[in-house]
Amino acid sequence: MASRSSRNVICTVAFVDIVEYSKKSVADQMRIKERFNELLAQALVGVHANDRIILDTGDGAAISFLGDPEEGLFLGLALRDTLATTGKDALQLRTGINLGPVRLVKDINGQPNIIGDGINVAQRVMSFADINQVLASRSYYEVISALSADYAHLFEFEGARTDKHVREHEVYSLGKAPAPERAPRKQPGPVAVQAAAAMRNLRAGTSATRAQIMRRPPLATALSVALILALAITLRLTLRDQETQFPLQTTTTLPATSTVPRTSPQAKSPAPVADVVPAAAPKTKVERKPPAPAPARAREEPAAPVATGILRLQILPWGEVFVDGDKFGTAPPMRDIALKPGRHKIEIRNPGFASYVQFVEVRPGEEIRIRHRFH
């Protein structure tokens, strides 16, 4: 399973994004996402389960077609025709289609995921599209146009676009020409079957692990609790027996009685008590030593806010934060980082996306904000 799950696959990726989804209220997001799922399900009718892998991106979806490249074209045509015939309350989508390499992996939550240049370029092409427009990369256009001349006439060259990483992409828009008749669907090929099997294995492994964790029979739970109670009682009885065998320990907790004369050395000097319980004296000394340097630290701490700057982070959806190569944590939940004055390299990583890198010059008492959203 491990060898299959790390297999590289060349496939068609359609990246669909809901326009301004994050600006909607929660109620509107639920309503829009339900309509989007229904629309996507209708567009994928007839596509074999072994030929596709669907990833929910929150504000859209990424569909990888492991079989026929035509599946991506007819998905784009279905979205184009459906969105063109609806009213004002219709969905507003942007779609990018690309042909490239991807790899099946597990994400940070242990769930199946797809990464690679194939899905990254599909997302970049989608970002260039207008509302309800379908764009395709040059690699996908060249393959699909070679399959049929009717397919080539569906696209119009839109020129070159440059993304934020200064990478140039030649894009083709899906025009308004009617969709041609497609040939009957072929059975899944060996590559598609293997990729789908790898995804199923990933899901099965995740489900089995979760089931083993959640499956706790009542009898086993009761036996575990009984065993813990038995150990606790045994430990208690052992400690009580030790107290009985060594009566000198009781003199450390009880006041002097009439059997010990007040003029005896045991009543006047605490030295015998320290000899009986040697652990008490070191604990007391260790606790008293820290307060001595505490005033010096208290006098030095007020200067810290003046000597550092604050880096405030707002990362969506999330990212691992590295400062000068050292990992500081994950944002969110982390928001603020205190940095020493000087130049620092800030790097934010998210699996499946290109890393975001920025150099900042920190001055004492200065507040620097970095806002970044992975697309």
Side-chain angles (χ1 to χ4, degrees):
M1 182 180 68
S3 60
R4 288 187 177 183
S5 62
S6 61
R7 180 185 179 92
N8 287 322
V9 181
I10 303 296
C11 67
T12 302
V13 181
F15 205 103
V16 188
D17 180 73
I18 303 174
V19 178
E20 296 184 349
Y21 178 80
S22 59
K23 297 181 180 180
K24 307 290 184 182
S25 64
V26 175
D28 290 340
Q29 287 182 354
M30 294 176 61
R31 176 177 54 83
I32 292 174
K33 195 61 180 292
E34 183 177 356
R35 294 172 55 191
F36 173 76
N37 292 340
E38 293 176 356
L39 174 61
L40 195 61
Q42 294 175 1
L44 294 175
V45 170
V47 181
H48 198 278
N50 289 336
D51 277 346
R52 57 176 171 81
I53 299 173
I54 304 176
L55 298 181
D56 192 331
T57 61
D59 55 353
I63 307 97
S64 299
F65 297 99
L66 306 175
D68 197 335
E70 293 180 344
E71 303 292 357
L73 171 63
F74 283 92
L75 171 64
L77 290 171
L79 295 178
R80 181 201 67 177
D81 296 341
T82 302
L83 297 176
T85 57
T86 50
K88 296 181 179 180
D89 296 334
L91 288 173
Q92 293 184 338
L93 305 178
R94 295 182 298 172
T95 305
I97 306 177
N98 177 52
L99 181 70
V102 299
R103 172 172 289 192
L104 306 179
V105 297
K106 287 185 178 182
D107 61 14
I108 194 173
N109 297 316
Q111 300 298 323
N113 196 1
I114 294 179
I115 63 173
D117 190 67
I119 192 171
N120 292 341
V121 174
Q123 185 182 22
R124 299 291 183 264
V125 172
M126 175 276 299
S127 65
F128 302 138
D130 295 330
I131 296 178
N132 293 341
Q133 185 182 34
V134 179
L135 291 183
S137 66
R138 182 178 181 86
S139 61
Y140 181 77
Y141 168 77
E142 290 180 347
V143 171
I144 202 69
S145 60
L147 297 179
S148 172
D150 295 335
Y151 296 159
H153 295 313
L154 294 174
F155 292 92
E156 299 177 1
F157 181 62
E158 296 291 339
R161 301 287 189 272
T162 304
D163 60 20
K164 61 182 180 179
H165 301 291
V166 200
R167 183 177 179 181
E168 193 174 81
H169 306 271
E170 293 185 359
V171 294
Y172 296 78
S173 63
L174 193 59
K176 299 181 180 180
E181 295 183 1
R182 65 172 301 170
R185 288 185 172 90
K186 302 178 182 179
Q187 295 297 327
V191 175
V193 172
Q194 291 181 3
M199 181 60 74
R200 288 197 301 270
N201 291 336
L202 287 174
R203 290 172 178 164
T206 303
S207 301
T209 303
R210 185 183 299 111
Q212 292 177 1
I213 295 176
M214 298 302 295
R215 191 184 299 122
R216 298 289 185 182
L219 179 59
T221 303
L223 293 176
S224 300
V225 174
L227 179 60
I228 293 173
L229 292 176
L231 291 175
I233 294 173
T234 303
L235 180 61
R236 177 61 179 172
L237 293 176
T238 302
L239 294 176
R240 184 176 298 174
D241 293 340
Q242 292 179 356
E243 292 177 356
T244 305
Q245 295 175 3
F246 301 96
L248 289 177
Q249 296 180 359
T250 58
T251 60
T252 61
T253 57
L254 296 177
T257 60
S258 57
T259 58
V260 181
R262 294 190 179 186
T263 57
S264 65
Q266 295 180 357
K268 292 183 179 181
S269 176
V273 178
D275 294 338
V276 175
V277 190
K283 289 183 180 179
T284 305
K285 292 180 181 179
V286 172
E287 293 176 356
R288 291 177 182 176
K289 285 181 179 179
R297 291 196 188 119
R299 289 192 296 271
E300 294 174 0
E301 287 178 358
V306 180
T308 62
I310 299 298
L311 176 64
R312 296 190 181 278
L313 300 170
Q314 184 176 354
I315 309 301
L316 293 175
W318 64 273
E320 296 178 343
V321 182
F322 292 79
V323 179
D324 299 329
D326 297 330
K327 183 177 179 181
F328 269 61
T330 302
M334 183 179 65
R335 297 181 58 186
D336 298 343
I337 301 177
L339 297 178
K340 296 181 179 180
R343 184 178 176 84
H344 298 277
K345 177 184 177 183
I346 310 300
E347 182 178 1
I348 304 172
R349 303 176 185 174
N350 187 312
F353 300 96
S355 299
Y356 174 80
V357 179
Q358 181 175 342
F359 291 88
V360 297
E361 188 71 28
V362 179
R363 297 181 179 85
E366 182 182 23
E367 179 181 301
I368 301 176
R369 294 178 179 269
I370 292 182
R371 299 179 181 178
H372 180 70
R373 179 188 179 101
F374 287 98
H375 292 284

